[in-house]
Amino acid sequence: MSNKRRLHPAAIFFNFVKTVREAIFFIVIGFITFKDESYIYFILVLSALLLLFITLSVLSWYRFTYQVVDDELRIEYGIIIRKQRYISKNRIHSIDLTAGVVHRIFKLVKVQIETAGSGMSAEASLKAVRLQEGERLRSELKMLQQIDAQEEEVEKQAPKESISMRRLFIAGTTSGSVGVILAIAAFGFSEIEQFIPDDFYNQTFEWVIGLGIAIIIVLVVVILLVLWLFGIAGTMIKYGNFTITKNDDELFITRGLLEKKQLTIPLKRIQAIGIQESVIRQPLGYATVYAEVAGGSLDQGEDFSTVLFPIMKKDEIAEFLEKFLPSYLSDHNNLEPLPKRARKFYIFRSIILFLALVVGVFIFFPQFSWIPGVLLIGSFYLGLLRHQDGGFLTENDRLTIRYRTMSKHTMIMFHKRIQSYEKKQYTLQKVQQLATMNISIIGKLGVGKHFKLKDLDEDHVNQLADWYSYRK
C-alpha cells in the first residue's frame, strides 16, 4: 500500500487553463455584447470570474489524491461532493505518459490510464506528476518488478525502429496538410471577419484587386508555400524522435518534439493493420503503417487510427511487420482483383458529380466550363485507379482487402477480429453477377469500423461469406 499523494502544484495551472478554455466561448460573447456599452462592468465581471477560476483550480488540486492499494488504483476528488474511483490493475489496458512544453520545463508528465470501458476520455488522468513518479506508477500498476542486469540485456535486444530526420522531412513534404490548414484558416477568417473595420477591409480588398493578376498569382503561390512549410513543421513536431519498440505482448511508441508522448498498445487490442499510400506518396514508393486499436479514448489527441510508423518505403513494410507483428505478414501483392465488368460502375460513381457540374457550368458560365472539365478527367482516372486497386486475399484465418478512396488502403485482419460480414446487391449488380462486401471490426472508443469492397464477383462474395461462417 502506498500513501495518498497529490499531483504536482503545476496541476493548478492546467486546471485553470482547462476552465478558461471551457468558458472562452461565453467570455467572447460577453466581450462582443458589452464592447461598446458597459465595458467597465464586463472587466469587473471578468476579473471576478478569473479569481473564481483560480480558487476552483487550487481547491481541485488540493482535493485530488491518489494511491495504489493492493491491486487497484484509488482516486479521490471533488470540491463539494467527494468522489472515489477504484481501478483494478486487471482492467487496465494501457498507461501512457505525455509531456507537453510546460511539463517538460518542470520535468513532469501527464499519466493517462485506459481500460476497456474508456469512452471519449481516459478512465483516469493524472495531469501533472514528476517523471520518476509517473514511471514508478506505470511499473507498479502494470505489476512490473525491478529488472536485473540479464533482463536489461534482453530489453536492449527488443525489436526497435526509429525514423530518420530525412524520412521525417519527406513525411512532412508529402503529408498533404495544406488543404487542412487552408480550411482551418478559412474558418478562422470567417469568425474574425466581423471584428475587422469595414473601411480597413474595403481598402485592403481594393489594394489587392489593384495589384494585377500576375502579382495576385505570386501572392497565392507564396501563401501556399508558407502553408506547405507549416505542414512540414507540424509533421516534424508531431512525429519527431519517433521510436517504436516491442516488448513481450505490447508495442511502445514514443514521439513528439514539443509534446513528448509515450503510447502503449497491447497486441491483443489490435484489430487490424493498415497500409496507406497517399496520392502524393505512392509514386515515390512510400507508405504509412497504422493500426486499428479497440477501445481507448480521444484524450491523447490521437486520430481514430494509431500510426505505427509515419513513413517508410513500401518494400520495407514486410521486414517491419516481420519484426513487430509477424502474424500480420501477408502476401498483399497477389490479391484477387476485381472483375473487369465492374470497371464501368467505378468510373460512373467517380464522374457522376463532376459530369452534372460540367453541364451546369456550361449552361450558366460557359467561359469557365474548362474547370469542371479538368476535374471530370481527373475523376475518370480516379475511377480507373479505384477499380484497378481493389482486391482481396484469404490466407487460412487471415483476410487482406485493398481499396482506394483518394489514398490506397490495404487492410490485414484476422477472422476472430471481424464482428460482422454483410453482402449487398442491387439490381444492376445482380444482372452483372456482382455484389458488395461490407465487414466490421471494433475501432477506437469501442465503435464499429467498417470496410467496404464494391462490385466483387458474386461467387467471391459468397465464398467470403462461407469463409466467415466456417461453412464448407
Side-chain angles (χ1 to χ4, degrees):
M1 178 185 297
S2 64
N3 298 324
K4 288 186 177 181
R5 297 172 180 264
R6 285 191 175 88
L7 302 178
H8 189 275
I12 298 173
F13 170 76
F14 296 119
N15 288 335
F16 175 74
V17 171
K18 179 184 178 183
T19 306
V20 171
R21 187 171 63 242
E22 291 173 349
I24 192 67
F25 174 77
F26 299 101
I27 294 174
V28 172
I29 294 297
F31 173 76
I32 296 173
T33 304
F34 299 105
K35 65 177 181 178
D36 296 325
E37 300 177 359
S38 305
Y39 186 71
I40 185 64
Y41 294 106
F42 170 76
I43 295 297
L44 291 175
V45 172
L46 181 60
S47 300
L49 283 176
L50 292 178
L51 182 60
L52 176 63
F53 292 163
I54 293 173
T55 303
L56 292 175
S57 300
V58 173
L59 290 176
S60 296
W61 166 78
Y62 183 78
R63 298 280 285 172
F64 188 103
T65 61
Y66 67 93
Q67 66 178 143
V68 179
V69 180
D70 297 329
D71 289 334
E72 63 185 11
L73 172 67
R74 298 183 181 179
I75 299 176
E76 297 182 12
Y77 60 100
I79 299 175
I80 299 176
I81 301 176
R82 197 68 171 159
K83 301 177 182 179
Q84 296 179 333
R85 177 173 292 181
Y86 302 97
I87 304 173
S88 173
K89 289 181 180 180
N90 298 325
R91 291 181 53 227
I92 295 175
H93 280 180
S94 65
I95 304 172
D96 300 327
L97 306 183
T98 304
V101 177
V102 178
H103 287 91
R104 297 176 74 174
I105 292 175
F106 297 101
K107 297 183 179 179
L108 305 174
V109 293
K110 178 181 179 182
V111 181
Q112 295 196 126
I113 300 168
E114 294 186 353
T115 66
S118 298
M120 293 297 291
S121 60
E123 187 72 22
S125 180
L126 309 183
K127 296 180 181 179
V129 298
R130 292 286 183 187
L131 176 59
Q132 298 85 348
E133 169 66 8
E135 292 175 345
R136 182 200 65 79
L137 192 61
R138 181 170 63 178
S139 299
E140 188 171 358
L141 291 177
K142 295 184 69 175
M143 296 177 287
L144 299 177
Q145 305 298 324
Q146 294 293 326
I147 56 177
D148 55 25
Q150 183 178 358
E151 290 175 320
E152 286 183 355
E153 185 63 28
V154 172
E155 184 179 346
K156 291 179 182 178
Q157 296 175 359
K160 186 175 183 180
E161 194 78 31
S162 301
I163 190 169
S164 65
M165 290 301 295
R166 177 178 174 273
R167 285 284 176 90
L168 197 58
F169 180 77
I170 295 174
T173 55
T174 59
S175 64
S177 56
V178 173
V180 177
I181 297 175
L182 278 174
I184 295 174
F187 175 78
F189 179 77
S190 65
E191 293 298 315
I192 66 173
E193 183 180 2
Q194 57 183 319
F195 301 108
I196 301 175
D198 292 338
D199 293 340
F200 178 79
Y201 183 85
N202 293 331
Q203 290 175 7
T204 304
F205 183 77
E206 292 175 0
W207 174 74
V208 171
I209 296 299
L211 291 176
I213 297 298
I215 302 298
I216 293 177
I217 292 175
V218 172
L219 285 176
V220 170
V221 172
V222 170
I223 291 172
L224 291 176
L225 178 61
V226 171
L227 293 178
W228 181 60
L229 293 175
F230 273 122
I232 296 174
T235 300
M236 298 186 74
I237 289 172
K238 182 177 181 179
Y239 293 111
N241 298 325
F242 187 98
T243 301
I244 179 172
T245 307
K246 182 180 181 181
N247 187 4
D248 295 330
D249 56 350
E250 293 178 322
L251 296 177
F252 297 96
I253 294 177
T254 303
R255 65 166 177 81
L257 292 180
L258 295 181
E259 184 179 34
K260 185 178 180 181
K261 291 179 177 288
Q262 296 181 14
L263 309 179
T264 304
I265 306 174
L267 297 182
K268 62 183 180 182
R269 288 176 58 193
I270 295 179
Q271 306 297 300
I273 296 298
I275 302 169
Q276 181 189 29
E277 302 170 69
S278 68
V279 176
I280 301 175
R281 292 176 180 174
Q282 185 179 353
L284 302 175
Y286 288 102
T288 298
V289 181
Y290 63 95
E292 300 294 349
V293 183
S297 69
L298 295 182
D299 273 1
Q300 301 167 342
E302 295 296 303
D303 300 324
F304 279 93
S305 301
T306 302
V307 174
L308 297 183
F309 210 82
I311 188 170
M312 64 172 52
K313 280 287 188 179
K314 190 177 178 181
D315 55 14
E316 298 171 351
I317 294 177
E319 182 182 352
F320 176 84
L321 292 177
E322 187 174 7
K323 181 186 293 186
F324 293 96
L325 298 159
S327 59
Y328 286 92
L329 188 58
S330 170
D331 187 16
H332 55 265
N333 292 319
N334 293 310
L335 272 61
E336 181 72 35
L338 298 175
K340 293 182 179 179
R341 61 184 182 277
R343 184 182 297 135
K344 54 182 172 290
F345 293 102
Y346 275 87
I347 293 175
F348 177 77
R349 279 192 296 265
S350 185
I351 69 172
I352 181 62
L353 176 62
F354 295 104
L355 191 61
L357 190 61
V358 166
V359 174
V361 173
F362 182 77
I363 294 174
F364 297 103
F365 307 100
Q367 67 273 27
F368 297 111
S369 59
W370 63 271
I371 297 177
V374 172
L375 296 176
L376 179 64
I377 296 173
S379 64
F380 180 87
Y381 181 64
L382 180 61
L384 289 176
L385 286 179
R386 287 174 174 172
H387 173 263
Q388 175 184 314
D389 293 331
F392 75 95
L393 175 68
T394 56
E395 301 168 286
N396 297 323
D397 62 341
R398 185 173 60 211
L399 171 66
T400 302
I401 62 171
R402 188 173 62 206
Y403 64 94
R404 176 186 287 276
T405 49
M406 287 297 290
S407 300
K408 183 167 74 171
H409 294 264
T410 303
M411 304 302 305
I412 308 166
M413 65 198 77
F414 283 93
H415 183 283
K416 63 182 180 181
R417 301 300 187 188
I418 300 175
Q419 302 298 311
S420 67
Y421 179 93
E422 184 180 14
K423 171 187 174 182
K424 290 184 178 180
Q425 188 178 45
Y426 53 84
T427 304
L428 288 178
Q429 284 182 320
K430 194 169 185 178
V431 172
Q432 294 289 315
Q433 294 183 320
L434 300 173
T436 295
M437 172 193 72
N438 192 359
I439 57 179
S440 303
I441 62 174
I442 299 176
K444 204 155 195 173
L445 306 178
V447 300
K449 190 87 174 185
H450 309 285
F451 304 99
K452 183 181 295 185
L453 197 54
K454 298 179 180 179
D455 303 318
L456 279 165
D457 190 291
E458 186 177 7
D459 290 338
H460 288 157
V461 176
N462 293 332
Q463 290 171 14
L464 287 169
D466 293 340
W467 171 84
Y468 177 71
S469 302
Y470 292 110
R471 291 193 300 260
K472 294 185 180 180

